[in-house]
Amino acid sequence: MTVAASLKSKSIWPGITLRWSSATLIFALFVIISFIVIAVTIPLWSPYDPVGMAGRRLQPPSALHWCGTDALGRDVLTRALWGTRYSLPIAVFVLGVAVPVGVLLGTAAGFFGGIIDNAVMRLADVTLAFPPVLLAMAIAASLGPGLVNTAVALIIVWWPIYARLMRAQVLNVKKLDHVDAAVIAGAGRFRILFKHIMPLCWSPILVNTTMDVGLVILLASGLSFIGLGAQPPAPEWGQMVAEGASNFYSWWIALAPGMAIFLISISSNFLGDALRDVLDPQVKLPA
Amino acid sequence: MLEVVLRRLFVMPFLLLGIVTATFILAQFTKGNPLVSIIGAKALTNPEVVAAAKKRWGLDRSIPERYVIYVKNLARGDLGVSFRTKQPVLADLAQRLPATLELVICAMIVGAASGLLLGVISAQFHDRAADHAARFIALLGSCLPIYWLGLLVLFLFTVQLPWLPGPGRLDLRAEQIEPVTGFMLVDTLLVDSWNAFVDAALHLVLPALVLGWSVTGIVSRMVRASLLDVMKQDFITMARAKGASATRVLVHHALRNALIPALTILGFTFAYLITGSVLVEAIFSWPGIGSYAVEAARALDYPAITGVTIIGGLGFLIANLLTDIAYAAADPRMRGAAA
Amino acid sequence: MKIGDMTAIPEPLLEVRDLRIAIPGRQGEHLAVANIGFTVASGEILGLVGESGSGKSLSMLAVMGLLPAGMRASGSIRFKGQEILGLPERQMRRLRGGRIAMIFQDPMTALNPVLTLGAQIVETIELHNPSLSSRELRNRAIELMELVAIPAPDKRFDQYPHEFSGGMRQRIVIAIAVANDPDLLIADEPTTALDVTIQAQIVDILNRLRREKGVAIALITHDLGLVAGLADRIAILYAGRIAECGEIGAVFQRPRHPYTAGLLAAVPSIDADVARLYAIRGTPPSLADRPPGCQFNPRCPFALPRCAEYNPEFRRFGETVVACHRAEELNLASDTADAR
């Protein structure tokens, strides 16, 4: 059965595969780049003041207000556009701290083993023993509501995932023959770590980080939605959906911010998938 | 199998202690003054009232002392008294747990069933249009902000198209059901009220679908990957060589094997469902632990928050334990390992 | 001349003619099997020999109707006179495991790890005899386990594959294959994954099955020793084509295709006092990049210009057929010895 097994039963229309994956990639890049551009340039061309009255209260979508106005007469589209300035930085900040910390600790745990490994992994175990939202809520609640505290909470929740992932990677790579060869050749510990192990560990980290952008934004806006993250009148997406929820019959208030969260989160997934196809790291089971 | 489960059981107390310690440390960081929520901002200027309240809530002891008291209390099942409801946290939680469990169980069924279906479709039509469609549907569930989706479907199916009842567990105008088990679907049947049962079930539809859809992707990805892996195995060709039909091969041979690794994510799914239930309960006014947690967090009611966090952690540990047991029971190779 | 015409036997059990199997690739289709034909008579053992990629396993999967998705077979496969290539799935299922059964190469992967061995034997009986009671099924399965010499079958019935050794598992695989008294058994390298001592036992079982049950066997292998010990006739495949096909003694004594001669010379022999082992130079062609003419010509020590120009016709020498331009002139038994 070697013949059969080696043969990937490719589709009857290989064209669809190609088109689908490149379409999703183009879509993802388009969304992500436009969101970044919006976040950077919005003060220059903002249609209305994001926190000031722009028209009458609770107006449904119209030519003047494409996504309507909220309970305070603010333009929903304007606020949703400004929302990029909250969600994108928070994702960058959370992952910018959690990933390096996790990677560093995970590498140390995997490479040195022993007491370092035990200390790091037990700490990770305890952190991962909580459903993430509850821990984040507890942290955010005890630090006090606010965007920065939400970010801190998410960092605490997120680093162990990367510590585990990196540790597993390092342990896998450590077993490979070329590492043994380097040891036999008399390479120093750190040379082995940096030259022979770490370069082979990056791809799953990269793929995971890309996919987690969406998850961080989802969770951060979720915390804002329940009142622990960004506080009014900040035009943060989760907080805007909460405003929409309290004006239930004005469905348009929540529409744009929710759509924005969805777009960025599905784009980060598509981009992560594309990266995985390119880098082809082993598919990891969720731990 | 026994070994795995025993090891899990052995580390559980340590993890629990870790959880408790972590929540206690967190509580010490509390910036907002909890006294405000106990006695109100105006009374803060009255030293006698403040002192009495501090004493009553144990806030005047030293931190290590409080830790010891805290752990001892927890060991007795005393999670403290909520600042907000003035009720023991455990009683609050016990009262609200069934609602959350009912929702989470229904959502788990929705998520597992839809994930299984989409995963099988994906694997059967590997890399074809149906595969992409199935994966996209699953991905939507995990990318749509669940509280927003909840809001939209609530608006759509109760206001625009009034097919389903609004938020809550039962129609407020209907006769209320005295809780026995706390599970509305069971309680309504216990009092022989078929109408109330239908009402409760209809109230469950939207939140369970929304919450379940959020984990469809996790399940379907796992089923797809593991089914694709199994379908390449020799014993699948062998089963066909015996003359078994494609359906029989899929159900009897492939799925049986593919579901074993897929079982491992059930515990993980539980963490997602808890996360989702916090947000879904908030949208659907579901009187469960999730909305309790939100109310507690907003009021800086930290005994309540800590209580929820500990119960959540405990629930997660139990879910993982059950996953291990299910995994071991499903795989004869694991059973053999114990013998 | 087509190779199917070679056999003198009036109605062979299995007759494969002009079989082609196309694999979809990035740039169009490749032929994994370019033109294969052979026959298996009732009660006969035919050895199909070739390197991996020569198309031997694929051809047999085509006979079973179990080609991997995407592959297409054309030509003719007749079983008991009936064309079975392209037979509707429902009818094909009745043949599979019933009249035609298969023994898989690797007993470690051929059994379903989560079902008991008993259940797996019972399944194949039940699929073809749905009316049997569970008692009868169990008895029949235990008889089969006895047939392949499984000790204490009554106890073993409820065990799982991981509790069995490789050799024991292969016996179960064989028991499953012969469960419904098939007319034709396709054995895909049935001994490759086993220890030498176990190999001998399996060969023994196969021999006994043929003797006692009169089952015909198509034995796929690259082990010439196994073929020599078991087979009546041999078909040698190279790059998806038949190179040589004939009665075993004749082919072994006087190989007429340079590839056959090379294979035989590559078998280490205790009698021959050679300093180094013979190896055919080069590697088989890739499917995507087939050489023109005779597929073997780039590696053939006797190749002439015309060998690279067009494909050789089949030539008949008694019961042997050969696809070589120079089959008449070469005396390979001695020439290959000289080439050493």
Side-chain angles (χ1 to χ4, degrees):
Chain A
M1 275 307 297
T2 47
V3 193
S6 70
L7 244 161
K8 266 173 82 180
S9 49
K10 273 276 168 188
S11 80
I12 304 176
W13 316 312
I16 292 273
T17 310
L18 201 68
R19 265 183 277 144
W20 173 258
S21 63
S22 34
T24 56
L25 177 61
I26 290 165
F27 173 82
L29 287 175
F30 175 75
V31 169
I32 291 168
I33 291 170
S34 13
F35 274 37
I36 292 173
V37 169
I38 290 169
V40 174
T41 63
I42 184 70
L44 302 176
W45 54 276
S46 176
Y48 295 96
D49 179 354
V51 290
M53 283 270 280
R56 289 197 299 154
R57 300 167 59 244
L58 298 177
Q59 289 298 299
S62 65
L64 270 181
H65 304 284
W66 293 358
C67 298
T69 62
D70 67 10
L72 298 175
R74 298 171 298 192
D75 182 63
V76 172
L77 179 62
T78 305
R79 286 171 64 72
L81 292 171
W82 281 81
T84 52
R85 302 198 125 205
Y86 291 83
S87 291
L88 296 187
I90 221 179
V92 171
F93 178 60
V94 168
L95 292 171
V97 178
V99 174
V101 168
V103 163
L104 212 68
L105 291 176
T107 309
F111 189 68
F112 297 110
I115 200 162
I116 300 180
D117 188 13
N118 263 313
V120 171
M121 291 333 283
R122 291 306 79 76
L123 200 58
D125 283 348
V126 169
T127 318
L128 289 172
F130 294 101
V133 78
L134 292 184
L135 185 57
M137 277 175 76
I139 296 169
S142 63
L143 295 179
L147 212 53
V148 178
N149 290 344
T150 305
V152 172
L154 291 180
I155 290 169
I156 297 176
V157 170
W158 236 276
W159 74 267
I161 300 171
Y162 285 88
R164 269 199 185 171
L165 190 61
M166 192 64 185
R167 176 175 176 270
Q169 278 296 112
V170 169
L171 285 180
N172 273 339
V173 175
K174 230 167 113 177
K175 281 186 298 207
L176 296 180
D177 288 343
H178 81 276
V179 176
D180 284 343
V183 173
I184 293 164
R189 263 151 83 92
F190 286 93
R191 190 186 160 76
I192 289 173
L193 178 61
F194 291 114
K195 290 224 68 152
H196 299 284
I197 296 182
M198 302 251 312
L200 293 173
C201 299
W202 286 117
S203 22
I205 300 287
L206 205 62
V207 170
N208 247 51
T209 309
T210 313
M211 296 204 159
D212 276 356
V213 169
L215 269 183
V216 169
I217 290 177
L218 273 175
L219 199 51
S221 61
L223 288 173
S224 292
F225 170 75
I226 58 179
L228 287 176
Q231 297 299 303
E236 199 276 344
W237 293 331
Q239 142 73 23
M240 290 175 71
V241 175
E243 283 163 10
S246 43
N247 296 283
F248 182 64
Y249 292 95
S250 306
W251 51 270
W252 57 85
I253 300 178
L255 200 65
M259 206 62 201
I261 302 172
F262 165 64
L263 285 178
I264 191 82
S265 109
I266 201 163
S267 297
S268 96
N269 253 291
F270 283 156
L271 190 62
D273 265 338
L275 267 182
R276 193 205 314 268
D277 286 348
V278 175
L279 300 171
D280 196 38
Q282 296 158 286
V283 181
K284 287 270 171 209
L285 306 182
Chain B
M1 165 196 173
L2 204 62
E3 205 182 307
V4 178
V5 174
L6 280 179
R7 200 181 311 138
R8 211 24 123 172
L9 281 174
F10 177 75
V11 296
M12 260 180 85
F14 293 96
L15 271 176
L16 262 183
L17 193 66
I19 288 174
V20 168
T21 310
T23 51
F24 181 79
I25 292 170
L26 270 179
Q28 306 315 310
F29 277 104
T30 308
K31 271 233 188 71
N33 190 342
L35 282 175
V36 178
S37 53
I38 309 172
I39 54 178
K42 280 180 189 163
L44 277 181
T45 49
N46 185 339
E48 274 173 44
V49 177
V50 170
K54 276 191 170 176
K55 195 170 171 80
R56 190 168 159 215
W57 302 109
L59 296 175
D60 56 347
R61 309 278 186 89
S62 74
I63 287 178
E65 259 184 305
R66 261 194 273 166
Y67 177 68
V68 173
I69 295 172
Y70 185 65
V71 174
K72 269 190 191 158
N73 286 344
L74 282 182
R76 286 201 308 263
D78 181 359
L79 290 170
V81 177
S82 159
F83 292 161
R84 195 174 48 88
T85 66
K86 314 280 193 273
Q87 296 271 335
V89 173
L90 194 66
D92 276 351
L93 291 177
Q95 191 205 332
R96 284 161 166 268
L97 184 65
T100 295
L101 276 184
E102 191 169 52
L103 176 59
V104 165
I105 290 170
C106 290
M108 182 80 107
I109 293 168
V110 169
S114 60
L116 183 62
L117 183 71
L118 291 176
V120 170
I121 291 175
S122 265
Q124 286 284 295
F125 299 95
H126 184 204
D127 268 354
R128 280 189 258 165
D131 178 17
H132 295 304
R135 288 163 76 184
F136 185 66
I137 293 170
L139 184 63
L140 275 188
S142 39
C143 287
L144 288 165
I146 191 167
Y147 47 95
W148 180 66
L149 183 64
L151 203 58
L152 286 191
V153 297
L154 205 51
F155 185 76
L156 204 61
F157 294 107
T158 67
V159 179
Q160 291 296 97
L161 310 162
W163 295 344
L164 288 167
R169 300 178 80 188
L170 277 179
D171 193 335
L172 290 173
R173 287 158 302 183
E175 193 188 339
Q176 292 308 293
I177 303 290
E178 198 57 39
V180 181
T181 61
F183 291 89
M184 209 52 93
L185 292 179
V186 178
D187 286 351
T188 50
L189 288 183
L190 285 181
V191 296
D192 261 341
S193 172
W194 179 249
N195 287 340
F197 175 80
V198 172
D199 188 35
L202 288 177
H203 274 85
L204 258 170
V205 170
L206 286 180
L209 283 181
V210 168
L211 187 55
W213 194 11
S214 73
V215 295
T216 299
I218 306 174
V219 178
S220 73
R221 218 170 303 155
M222 192 71 198
V223 169
R224 176 180 185 269
S226 116
L227 198 54
L228 282 177
D229 189 49
V230 169
M231 290 301 270
K232 279 191 298 210
Q233 304 286 319
D234 280 354
F235 65 80
I236 294 299
T237 318
M238 168 109 172
R240 296 198 59 205
K242 286 176 173 179
S245 66
T247 320
R248 187 184 165 90
V249 170
L250 177 69
V251 175
H252 201 72
H253 293 273
L255 271 182
R256 268 204 196 191
N257 279 276
L259 288 186
I260 293 173
L263 269 179
T264 54
I265 48 140
L266 283 187
F268 181 75
T269 311
F270 180 78
Y272 263 78
L273 287 175
I274 292 292
T275 301
S277 74
V278 168
L279 300 165
V280 166
E281 285 184 10
I283 280 289
F284 287 92
S285 313
W286 200 260
I289 303 240
S291 50
Y292 182 73
V294 172
E295 289 154 18
R298 281 186 185 147
L300 299 180
D301 180 356
Y302 75 66
I305 299 172
T306 334
V308 172
T309 315
I310 290 171
I311 292 294
L314 183 66
F316 194 16
L317 286 184
I318 293 173
N320 279 327
L321 181 70
L322 291 179
T323 303
D324 278 352
I325 294 175
Y327 181 68
D331 191 341
R333 283 159 293 188
M334 298 278 286
R335 265 180 266 151
Chain C
M1 180 162 53
K2 293 285 159 53
I3 198 162
D5 304 340
M6 307 311 143
T7 355
I9 307 158
E11 177 103 303
L13 182 68
L14 177 74
E15 183 177 16
V16 176
R17 274 200 207 199
D18 304 332
L19 182 66
R20 285 161 202 272
I21 298 175
I23 305 181
R26 279 176 200 276
Q27 287 95 32
E29 290 184 335
H30 303 310
L31 283 182
V33 170
N35 181 0
I36 279 182
F38 54 85
T39 59
V40 183
S42 292
E44 175 187 62
I45 298 186
L46 171 73
L48 283 150
V49 179
E51 289 160 88
S52 34
S54 60
K56 53 193 193 315
S57 291
L58 275 185
S59 311
M60 294 328 281
L61 282 176
V63 171
M64 295 290 287
L66 290 178
L67 281 179
M71 290 195 193
R72 278 188 315 105
S74 58
S76 158
I77 300 173
R78 295 175 85 81
F79 179 73
K80 290 181 160 175
Q82 185 196 11
E83 179 62 48
I84 60 168
L85 186 60
L87 204 66
E89 174 68 14
R90 187 172 291 273
Q91 292 175 44
M92 203 62 215
R93 279 213 305 270
R94 230 171 290 148
L95 287 179
R96 269 185 225 136
R99 301 318 344 126
I100 311 177
M102 188 155 178
I103 299 175
F104 283 76
Q105 177 175 354
D106 186 354
M108 306 311 270
T109 58
L111 294 169
N112 189 331
V114 302
L115 299 178
T116 61
L117 294 165
Q120 300 191 50
I121 302 175
V122 162
E123 180 183 26
T124 194
I125 307 170
E126 194 178 13
L127 280 167
H128 298 273
N129 306 281
S131 58
L132 291 185
S133 73
S134 59
R135 188 74 241 161
E136 289 167 314
L137 286 169
R138 189 188 164 98
N139 289 340
R140 177 92 184 91
I142 286 173
E143 270 170 40
L144 283 164
M145 289 168 90
E146 275 162 4
L147 180 74
V148 294
I150 301 272
D154 216 19
K155 247 193 256 158
R156 295 292 201 167
F157 186 88
D158 292 312
Q159 289 187 328
Y160 288 92
H162 71 267
E163 297 168 82
F164 271 50
S165 69
M168 289 296 233
R169 289 194 211 185
Q170 191 63 315
R171 287 161 197 239
I172 298 291
V173 171
I174 294 174
I176 290 172
V178 299
N180 296 307
D181 285 320
D183 302 309
L184 175 65
L185 200 55
I186 296 171
D188 187 357
E189 315 224 9
T191 59
T192 314
L194 302 173
D195 290 343
V196 182
T197 45
I198 312 294
Q199 285 185 13
Q201 295 168 10
I202 297 297
V203 167
D204 224 43
I205 292 174
L206 289 178
N207 248 329
R208 215 178 62 225
L209 283 172
R210 190 253 294 256
R211 244 188 359 255
E212 290 171 10
K213 303 212 167 219
V215 58
I217 302 177
L219 178 68
I220 305 172
T221 183
H222 54 248
D223 181 351
L224 284 174
L226 183 65
V227 176
L230 263 177
D232 305 308
R233 289 192 310 122
I234 183 170
I236 289 147
L237 277 66
Y238 185 79
R241 288 175 198 273
I242 296 276
E244 185 164 357
C245 178
E247 191 268 318
I248 189 110
V251 172
F252 272 49
Q253 260 165 33
R254 196 187 186 305
R256 293 181 186 269
H257 195 288
Y259 178 62
T260 315
L263 279 184
L264 288 171
V267 177
S269 146
I270 299 177
D271 317 329
D273 183 19
V274 284
R276 44 179 298 205
L277 291 174
Y278 176 81
I280 305 173
R281 65 195 166 114
T283 51
S286 87
L287 299 182
D289 188 24
R290 288 176 174 279
C294 171
Q295 298 295 298
F296 190 58
N297 86 73
R299 303 173 73 185
C300 182
F302 310 105
L304 296 176
R306 69 185 143 145
C307 295
E309 279 160 20
Y310 59 99
N311 218 11
E313 292 274 289
F314 286 110
R315 292 152 168 79
R316 181 190 275 272
F317 300 89
E319 292 215 350
T320 307
V321 281
V322 186
C324 176
H325 286 300
R326 304 187 64 192
E328 292 86 356
E329 40 176 317
L330 293 173
N331 187 352
L332 287 165
S334 57
D335 290 354
T336 315
D338 294 347
R340 280 187 183 179

